Amino acid sequence: MTTNLFDAAYHCIMANDPAEKVQLSQTTAQLWRAGELSLEARSPAQPILVPGHPPALRLVPPRDVPRRTLSTTAGQAALLHALTHIEFNAINLAWDAVYRFRDLPITFAEDWIQVAEEETAHFLLLQEQLHHLGY
């Protein structure tokens, strides 16, 4: 793990495995709160064209997604699965704000670190419910 907040945020963004992204997000937030991450950027922020995501992820247009009813377990799981993807992307967006906007007041970074933590918690809750439903 790095000792620099911006490098740590980059690693959070680029993690492909959801479990790794969760672990890195939690660890980075803990290290920040403990005062163990520096705000001294070693290099300028680089453009991130595609954040980390599972390699098997297949994006499909919304019109190609089958319609499901919430009255079935499969329909409920489909909705939770979609929400889980939203939370996964929200984790990336929160860390991206920390990574890119380095010259703003420290409270900006602190707020987005908190958002990353909250989105990680939401992701874990949704993932747990999906497992509970057997998905």
Side-chain angles (χ1 to χ4, degrees), residues 67-79 133:
R67 298 272 183 224
R68 294 190 177 103
T69 175
L70 293 179
S71 62
T72 67
T73 301
Q76 293 167 10
L79 175 62
L133 292 175

Side-chain angles (χ1 to χ4, degrees), residues 82-120:
L83 292 171
T84 304
H85 276 279
I86 291 168
E87 295 300 330
F88 186 85
N89 287 320
I91 295 168
N92 285 334
L93 289 170
W95 287 119
D96 182 67
V98 172
Y99 177 73
R100 284 196 297 148
F101 300 107
R102 301 167 180 215
D103 296 330
L104 294 176
I106 194 169
T107 54
F108 179 85
E110 288 173 340
D111 287 348
W112 282 106
I113 292 167
Q114 181 177 340
V115 170
E117 268 190 301
E118 291 169 359
E119 300 303 350
T120 300

Side-chain angles (χ1 to χ4, degrees), residues 4-23:
N4 177 278
L5 175 63
F6 307 114
D7 291 344
Y10 180 82
H11 291 299
C12 291
I13 296 164
M14 298 310 292
N16 290 321
D17 178 64
E20 180 185 11
K21 189 176 295 286
V22 164
Q23 185 273 321

